[in-house]
Amino acid sequence: MTTASEEPFRALLEAAPDAMVIVDGSGAIQLVNAQTETLFGYAREDLLGQPVEVLVPERFRRRHPGFRHSYASNRQVRPMGAGLELHGLRRDGREFPVEISLSPLETPGGALVSAAIRDVSERKAAEAQLAELYEQQRHVALTLQRSLMGSPAPVPGMATASRYFPARQGAGVGGDWFDLIPLGAGRVGVLIGDVMGRGLEAAAVMGQLRSAAHALAKTGMPPWQLMRALDAVVSELPDQLVTCCYLVLDPDAGRTTISSAGHLPLLVIQPDGRVERPQVEVSVPLGVGEVPHQETRMTVLPGSVLALYTDGLVETPTSDIELQIEALGSALEKAVAGTLDLEATADAVLTSLLPGPEDYGDDVTLLLVRVPEAPATAVSAVLAATPISVAQGRRFLRDTLRAWDYPELSETVCLLASELLSNAVRHACGPLRLRLRQAGEELSVEVSDGSPVLPQARFAVADAESGRGLLLVDSLARAWGTVPTVDGKAVWFSLPVPASKSAASHRS
């Protein structure tokens, strides 16, 4: 360069807001501006002629010449190390984060490379602070969601496995939930749902619905009626849509009753390992309104596994959801072929279908429930709806408990069963079915009749001769409830059995 042409160039170099370093083909520094002196702490004369690696941290110097040679073979304006964390080295030995833009310069004296270097320490600190704040808020949101969703207690005598993973993208938390609800006399309510949308609002709606559904299910409400009640709740919330599936599983009878409000199809893994998609009536999601919810009754075999899930497990932006549900079925078949353990099955399915845990775009929920293979200890008697049946029922219970070696429970069991039988004789219609069931550490008694009218506990006045039966049951039983049946209803109560006695030795 001539002196006359060099002056405007040097003026532009000094006016640049970033540190400017110009090197030749060997990597020697030819020109720097005042910003370079300020940024790196060197005097200009100390840098000229030095290899550019003097500005590179020691841990990167060995590889840096290779990067220079690579740029020499593809000379163009571009950022250096796109996607990488770059650092500069000050004269006092301190490292700092930088961004570097490279530009080729053609001069009469040969090819040069211009590097514009910007200190991004403040921006990186702000990004780190924002990331920390985001993680704190996400932790609070996830803690809130998990507390609202809860963790269902294990169901005695029934193997289950569940997995829930929050989304790792966007708002993080969502509206997935599931629940397992013991309904008495061996029946179990299984619930899964998904609130559309993400964030704290979806999690809050999920918490409301889960609490409402759990309380309603404990009353023995049939699936279609529970869906109708939840629909009324969602309809009062602005701009909310919810898919939900609720089923009542009766392992002893080998059947389940299911109602689905727009939820993904139930999959059933048969005892021989085949995965089937049963025909279930599916209505619109909760919140649409004005569409009745239906329920379907179906037979389930002992040893079969029910699989319920949310769309985060099977829905992707590029795949057809029906194909993904088929892929889930194939993954379940493959998983159960290798193990009978539901926990291992759940892990194998998630590994097969999902990307890495950092890539979940939506909440993922999977719930597996196995129908018990061995029936619980249970006996039953059919009685006429006449007063003498109360004494017959007591005799039947007393003899059975003596045979099962639970004579100490006879007095309480017969007293409470007498109240249920008396109510059925007086207010319902026959025939009556008295059933005694023992599973694990729980003994339950159930009285079924042909009336759909559910009994209500009431407080009797002091001189009343009736009205205290269900209050007595409520006081002495561990739990009690009512369940609608195909023919009418069933009223049940449960008591704890002595812990020292083995259930397996008293099967009939």
Side-chain angles (χ1 to χ4, degrees):
M1 291 184 186
T2 65
T3 302
S5 62
E6 186 176 320
E7 289 303 323
F9 176 76
R10 287 184 179 277
L12 288 173
L13 197 67
E14 294 297 332
D18 297 323
M20 302 296 296
V21 178
I22 297 176
V23 302
D24 61 17
S26 67
I29 298 175
Q30 300 298 310
L31 288 172
V32 297
N33 64 356
Q35 294 286 357
T36 303
E37 295 180 277
T38 302
L39 183 60
F40 287 94
Y42 286 93
R44 189 177 309 228
E45 57 270 19
D46 293 336
L47 288 175
L48 297 181
Q50 294 294 323
V52 72
E53 281 77 21
V54 73
L55 304 178
V56 176
E58 182 70 34
R59 55 198 171 107
F60 300 124
R61 286 181 184 174
R62 181 176 298 178
R63 292 180 293 168
H64 194 263
F67 296 147
R68 286 195 290 104
H69 296 149
S70 175
Y71 181 78
S73 64
N74 183 24
R75 297 163 58 84
Q76 57 181 334
V77 178
R78 65 175 175 82
M80 176 181 174
L84 300 177
E85 295 289 334
L86 303 179
H87 293 81
L89 180 67
R90 292 191 171 95
R91 185 168 190 169
D92 61 9
R94 290 181 296 138
E95 294 186 14
F96 61 100
V98 297
E99 283 184 351
I100 303 176
S101 295
L102 302 177
S103 302
L105 293 174
E106 298 295 337
T107 70
L112 302 176
V113 176
S114 171
I117 306 170
R118 177 172 296 177
D119 183 357
V120 293
S121 298
E122 292 184 0
R123 194 187 75 194
K124 291 292 184 180
E127 290 176 352
Q129 187 175 12
L130 285 174
E132 182 180 0
L133 181 61
Y134 170 79
E135 284 302 320
Q136 290 175 351
Q137 292 177 335
R138 187 173 185 276
H139 176 72
V140 170
L142 288 175
T143 301
L144 173 63
Q145 184 191 36
R146 291 186 183 277
S147 65
L148 291 173
M149 185 169 68
S151 180
V155 179
M158 184 173 293
T160 65
S162 60
R163 296 290 185 273
Y164 169 74
F165 297 109
R168 296 294 298 179
Q169 300 175 8
V173 298
D176 285 13
W177 89 91
F178 65 93
D179 204 357
L180 297 169
I181 310 151
L183 301 178
R187 299 178 183 87
V188 178
V190 182
L191 183 71
I192 192 167
D194 185 1
V195 178
M196 302 299 179
R198 300 275 290 283
L200 288 177
E201 182 179 1
V205 172
M206 173 273 293
Q208 295 178 58
L209 293 179
R210 183 185 184 276
S211 297
H214 188 96
L216 292 170
K218 293 293 283 186
T219 68
M221 185 176 288
W224 72 269
Q225 194 173 355
L226 184 140
M227 287 299 172
R228 186 177 68 177
L230 291 183
D231 199 10
V233 174
V234 177
S235 297
E236 295 180 354
L237 303 174
D239 303 322
Q240 291 292 341
L241 283 179
V242 179
T243 67
C244 185
C245 179
Y246 176 59
L247 63 86
V248 174
L249 176 62
D250 187 347
D252 294 351
R255 64 172 176 261
T256 184
T257 305
I258 178 171
S259 182
S260 175
H263 203 75
L264 294 167
L266 169 74
L267 298 181
V268 180
I269 311 168
Q270 299 296 350
D272 61 6
R274 292 178 298 108
V275 174
E276 296 181 354
R277 189 190 304 187
Q279 295 298 315
V280 174
E281 292 283 346
V282 179
S283 62
V284 298
L286 305 176
V288 174
E290 300 181 358
V291 178
H293 296 283
Q294 308 294 328
E295 67 180 23
T296 303
R297 293 184 177 89
M298 50 181 277
T299 300
V300 288
L301 299 176
S304 59
V305 177
L306 310 181
L308 299 97
Y309 50 95
T310 57
D311 56 3
L313 183 61
V314 294
E315 192 173 55
T316 65
T318 58
S319 301
D320 183 275
I321 194 167
E322 286 295 325
L323 296 178
Q324 289 299 106
I325 293 174
E326 291 180 6
L328 171 59
S330 300
L332 286 167
E333 285 186 352
K334 183 177 179 180
V336 297
T339 180
L340 294 177
D341 181 48
L342 290 187
E343 298 290 342
T345 298
D347 289 337
V349 169
L350 295 180
T351 301
S352 173
L353 293 181
L354 294 179
E358 298 299 321
D359 297 327
Y360 297 159
D362 194 3
D363 288 15
V364 174
T365 302
L366 174 65
L367 177 60
L368 303 177
V369 179
R370 173 172 283 126
V371 181
E373 295 191 31
T377 304
V379 293
S380 59
V382 178
L383 306 170
T386 57
I388 196 175
S389 296
V390 178
Q392 293 173 344
R394 285 197 298 265
R395 189 179 308 114
F396 167 77
L397 293 172
R398 193 177 295 110
D399 292 345
T400 303
L401 291 172
R402 186 182 301 110
W404 288 0
D405 196 22
Y406 292 137
E408 65 274 27
L409 296 178
S410 291
E411 183 177 351
T412 303
V413 168
C414 290
L415 173 62
L416 301 186
S418 295
E419 297 296 338
L420 300 189
L421 287 169
S422 297
N423 280 345
V425 169
R426 179 177 299 178
H427 304 292
C429 56
L432 311 180
R433 182 170 178 263
L434 175 61
R435 186 164 175 263
L436 181 63
R437 182 183 190 273
Q438 187 261 317
E441 297 180 355
E442 183 177 87
L443 185 79
S444 62
V445 175
E446 179 181 281
V447 176
S448 304
D449 59 56
S451 170
V453 180
L454 302 181
Q456 302 291 330
R458 58 189 176 89
F459 292 93
V461 296
D463 58 349
E465 297 182 359
S466 62
R468 298 180 177 84
L470 290 181
L471 292 178
L472 184 64
V473 174
D474 186 64
S475 298
L476 298 181
R478 168 190 280 178
W480 75 279
T482 60
V483 179
T485 64
V486 176
D487 301 321
K489 67 173 179 298
V491 186
W492 60 272
F493 67 85
S494 63
L495 295 168
V497 299
S500 60
K501 297 190 177 181
S502 170
S505 65
H506 305 301
R507 295 189 182 278
S508 292

